Amino acid sequence: MAEPLDAVDRPRARRRIPEATVARLPVYLRSLLEVAADGQTTISSERLAEMAGVNAAKVRKDLSYLGSYGTRGVGYDVEYLLFQMNRELGLTQDWPVVIVGIGNLGQALAGYGGFGERGFPVGALVDADRSKVGTRLGSHVVMHIDDLPEVVAERAIAIGVIATPASAAQDVADRLVAAGVTSILNFAPAILSVPDGVSLRKVDLAVELQILSFYQQRRLVSS
């Protein structure tokens, strides 16, 4: 029999959550926030699967890693799932971010208010171009990359965002690691090498556009 959804969250050994499941949790979280905003208090695995673009069996398997099994005929408690996902994703606290590279992309990222709203406030802006150092962008003054160790320590930086040209990206990654940053999000079109124990995620806009191009071409051919 499934454990009641409103049961006290008892201490349990943490299970290893597969990377594929971790990648889907933010999608579930976004979907749950949507239904919560509409006043919905429960959700079925079928409905959550539809919103997330996966099948219901996968949803149930993924949620089982969080210790949630739902109740037959009722589904999952939305508020409790939100609590579990925020906990597992580390969203119960803020993780300050440093953006390195204040070109067009870096400025756009710095001006995006969604980071702070989701628990990733921009803690500092850094660039190697001394003509940009000292300039103000919103509430931040751009600092030089040589000051990165002090910036990371003083502002409790948790995540480094690389928004530099590809040629500078590896050096920036090395500097972030040396400064004590162990989570890096890379927007530069370059393959980076980081030590074990450092988490690296890549956002390649060109690759995403190429994937869209593939599907666009298939639609044209089949029409």
Side-chain angles (χ1 to χ4, degrees):
M1 181 175 178
E3 179 178 330
L5 290 171
D6 60 350
V8 175
D9 187 28
R10 292 184 289 272
R12 58 186 173 86
R14 294 184 68 86
R15 301 175 63 182
R16 180 187 177 278
I17 302 179
E19 289 186 14
T21 297
V22 173
R24 287 189 290 269
L25 290 183
V27 182
Y28 298 151
L29 179 63
R30 181 182 61 201
S31 302
L32 290 167
L33 288 171
E34 289 180 15
V35 300
D38 291 337
Q40 189 172 331
T41 58
T42 61
I43 188 169
S44 67
S45 57
E46 290 78 12
R47 176 55 179 155
L48 186 54
E50 179 185 354
M51 297 180 72
V54 298
N55 62 63
K58 186 167 291 184
V59 167
R60 290 191 290 270
K61 179 66 173 177
D62 288 342
L63 297 185
S64 73
Y65 288 107
L66 308 184
S68 265
Y69 300 95
T71 301
R72 186 178 298 277
V74 177
Y76 296 86
D77 183 278
V78 171
E79 184 177 356
Y80 187 58
L81 273 188
L82 284 170
F83 161 74
Q84 288 181 301
M85 289 188 187
N86 278 300
R87 179 189 61 188
E88 291 294 343
L89 290 169
L91 301 179
T92 55
Q93 67 180 81
D94 286 347
W95 301 102
V97 171
V98 59
I99 298 175
V100 184
I102 312 304
N104 291 333
L105 176 58
Q107 291 180 39
L109 293 173
Y112 174 56
F115 286 143
E117 294 172 1
R118 289 167 172 79
F120 305 96
V122 175
L125 307 177
V126 171
D127 201 286
D129 185 348
R130 293 197 177 276
S131 68
K132 296 178 181 178
V133 174
T135 60
R136 181 172 289 277
L137 188 58
S139 61
H140 295 282
V141 174
V142 179
M143 304 185 71
H144 195 268
I145 194 168
D146 288 346
D147 298 323
L148 192 57
E150 291 78 13
V151 169
V152 169
E154 293 173 3
R155 306 190 184 186
I157 298 298
I159 299 172
V161 175
I162 300 177
T164 65
S167 58
Q170 184 62 60
D171 178 62
V172 170
D174 293 342
R175 286 173 175 260
L176 285 167
V177 172
V181 175
T182 55
S183 295
I184 298 174
L185 180 62
N186 176 35
F187 280 90
I191 297 175
L192 304 183
S193 175
V194 296
D196 291 341
V198 174
S199 300
L200 174 66
R201 300 288 296 180
K202 179 174 176 58
V203 179
D204 194 322
L205 300 179
V207 167
E208 298 303 322
L209 288 171
Q210 289 163 2
I211 293 171
L212 288 175
S213 173
F214 168 81
Y215 289 110
Q216 181 70 11
Q217 176 181 251
R218 288 183 65 125
R219 279 193 292 270
L220 291 175
V221 170
S222 61
S223 63

